[in-house]
Amino acid sequence: MTGTGRGADTGAGRDRFPYALLGTWGLTRLVLLLFVFRVFVFPGPDVTSDVSVIYQGWYDVLRTGTFPLSDVTWQYPPAAALAMLSPALLPFLGYASAFFVLAFLADLAVLALLQYAGLRPGKTLRGAWVWVIGVPLLGPTVYSRYDIFVTAVAVAALLAGVRRPRVLGALAGFGALLKVWPVLLLVGAARGGGRRAWAAAAVTAGALCAVFAVTMPGAFAFLTYQRDRGTEVESLGSLVFHVARRFGWPGQVLLNYGSVEFLGPYVGVVSGAALFLTAVALGWVLLWRLSAQRFPAHALAEAAFVAVLLFTVTSRVISPQYLVWLVGLAAVCLCFRGTRMTKAALLVLAASLVTVLEFPVWFTHVVMGDDLGIALILLRNGLLVAAAVTAGRELWRGTVSPPAPTVPNQASRTTESLASS
């Protein structure tokens, strides 16, 4: 990745067509399509059933002009309805097939954005390579969840936001109504542009909320359903119960609110601790924002990457598709030559590889909580925690800590001496 990035910074590099990048993307995405269309069967449970059963069921309800009020698994902001209804754009295909094609096109759009950005002066193609490599590491789950649509919006927002804060704000506001987390894209907006970005986000989100509230009943029922969730078996807090089961903890592992969660004694305590850690993490982000002294162009993407990492590792739920967000944000960071997020991005890629092993390949072991299942959760979440700590430390060093003093070399000292004499 590094060699490609250096070449992209030269005139010759920009004129050279990125055959390797596009060829790798095409080959890996063909394999993903073969998996989601069930030409090949991916190991583990069928990840495409969420589209063909759950999403299509929501689609049938949403077409009637209301949100699925009686379905507690609907836990998304109102604009998520647009993602569920989007297969109607391809009426000549069945619902699931249309969804997979649109997910593929969203993937292609992200690649196009990252490649365009990477070929500009001062940028590199390392970010595009992170996306090309990271997405297939997660397996067919990527094309079987609408998170790739949200990630495409987030990538567009960050790449536009350096020069156009209002575009950043509008896209972040829209993204927040798709899946909440894109509001964190705004934390690194520089002070002058930040006000414009936040204003644009508020206007966009407010207008869309008003439209949904007036036209479709139940637009905000998701808030109650999210509040009542427990501790999901793949989250950081789940390790408490995976281990406690070895010592006779009497709780259960059940499908609850659309995910496999722990239910029983002390689950509320662990879930509350996760919410507390999320509040602490957001407090750190606020402290960073108030302390930051330097806002280079890449700080916008880096701050978003750190904030979403912290939000992810402290969440009561760490679903496999959450890694799509992190891969996309890491890719934007690595478009910039001056980024300090390379180590954190590599940790996210490693976590993505472990993620596809814990879901879907060996998900039964995770649910059972045997040695393999616990090892996978410990390793995946450990990599994410390491990525969050590494990224947060580098963000602080790059924007808050005073820059290291430069020591002039011998030639510089000789030149200064001659000039003074």
Side-chain angles (χ1 to χ4, degrees):
M1 286 190 295
T2 304
T4 305
R6 286 197 299 268
D9 295 331
T10 66
R14 288 193 295 272
D15 293 337
R16 189 181 303 120
F17 191 79
Y19 291 105
L21 179 73
L22 298 180
T24 305
W25 181 87
L27 180 61
T28 54
R29 275 39 178 196
L30 173 61
V31 173
L32 286 181
L33 287 173
L34 290 174
F35 279 128
V36 295
F37 280 105
R38 307 288 289 173
V39 177
F40 299 145
V41 178
F42 201 79
D46 179 14
V47 300
T48 65
S49 61
D50 274 33
V51 176
S52 58
V53 177
I54 299 174
Y55 285 10
Q56 187 163 2
W58 289 337
Y59 170 81
D60 292 335
V61 175
L62 291 166
R63 288 175 60 194
T64 67
T66 183
F67 285 89
L69 299 175
S70 60
D71 188 349
V72 297
T73 62
W74 176 262
Q75 299 170 9
Y76 308 110
L82 301 178
M84 304 307 163
L85 292 168
S86 63
L89 296 172
L90 303 176
F92 48 88
L93 293 175
Y95 183 88
S97 297
F99 187 94
F100 300 145
V101 170
L102 291 172
F104 169 82
L105 293 176
D107 182 1
L108 178 59
V110 174
L111 174 68
L113 289 168
L114 293 169
Q115 181 182 322
Y116 176 78
L119 292 174
R120 294 178 65 82
K123 305 290 200 317
T124 89
L125 284 175
R126 291 183 304 159
W129 274 109
V130 167
W131 181 254
V132 167
I133 294 170
V135 166
L137 288 179
L138 293 166
T141 303
V142 175
Y143 283 1
S144 304
R145 305 292 186 272
Y146 85 97
D147 297 78
I148 196 166
F149 302 150
V150 188
T151 303
V153 173
V155 169
L158 289 175
L159 291 176
V162 175
R163 295 177 179 271
R164 301 176 179 86
R166 289 191 177 90
V167 176
L168 164 67
L171 289 174
F174 174 60
L177 289 187
L178 282 170
K179 208 162 188 181
V180 180
W181 68 265
V183 72
L184 297 173
L185 304 178
L186 300 171
V187 298
R191 289 184 175 89
R195 288 189 293 270
R196 296 194 295 273
W198 279 100
V203 170
T204 302
L208 286 173
C209 283
V211 170
F212 281 112
V214 170
T215 60
M216 296 182 69
F220 303 102
F222 76 99
L223 295 171
T224 299
Y225 300 151
Q226 280 286 353
R227 181 195 64 198
D228 295 336
R229 295 193 71 160
T231 297
E232 193 252 354
V233 294
E234 298 165 273
S235 66
L236 188 62
S238 73
L239 287 167
V240 174
F241 301 110
H242 281 299
V243 174
R245 283 198 293 183
R246 303 291 185 93
F247 299 94
W249 179 71
Q252 297 176 294
V253 178
L254 296 174
L255 183 64
N256 186 54
Y257 287 94
S259 64
V260 181
E261 298 180 352
F262 284 107
L263 299 175
Y266 306 109
V267 170
V269 175
V270 173
S271 296
L275 292 174
F276 174 75
L277 289 175
T278 298
V280 171
L282 293 179
W284 183 91
V285 172
L286 177 60
L287 176 63
W288 166 81
R289 191 65 180 82
L290 295 174
S291 305
Q293 301 297 316
R294 299 179 300 281
F295 290 90
H298 49 80
L300 175 67
E302 290 180 346
F305 181 46
V306 171
V308 176
L309 262 171
L310 292 171
F311 170 82
T312 300
V313 298
T314 60
S315 175
R316 293 172 292 171
V317 179
I318 306 181
S319 296
Q321 59 267 28
Y322 289 15
L323 274 292
V324 183
W325 318 342
L326 299 176
V327 170
L329 298 181
V332 177
C333 290
L334 265 68
C335 283
F336 295 89
R337 292 190 62 191
T339 186
R340 304 171 68 98
M341 296 294 145
T342 302
K343 291 181 180 179
L346 292 175
L347 287 168
V348 166
L349 291 181
S352 299
L353 177 59
V354 179
T355 295
V356 79
L357 296 178
E358 64 92 359
F359 183 88
V361 177
W362 288 320
F363 189 60
T364 54
H365 294 275
V366 173
V367 174
M368 291 168 54
D370 60 18
D371 290 344
L372 176 58
I374 293 176
L376 288 170
I377 294 301
L378 184 62
L379 178 58
R380 194 280 300 271
N381 292 345
L383 287 167
L384 289 179
V385 170
V389 172
T390 300
R393 182 179 65 241
E394 293 301 326
L395 178 65
W396 191 276
R397 287 177 175 176
T399 57
V400 178
S401 300
T406 58
V407 179
N409 57 30
Q410 183 63 39
S412 299
R413 288 195 293 267
T414 302
T415 301
E416 292 171 0
S417 177
L418 289 173
S420 63
S421 62

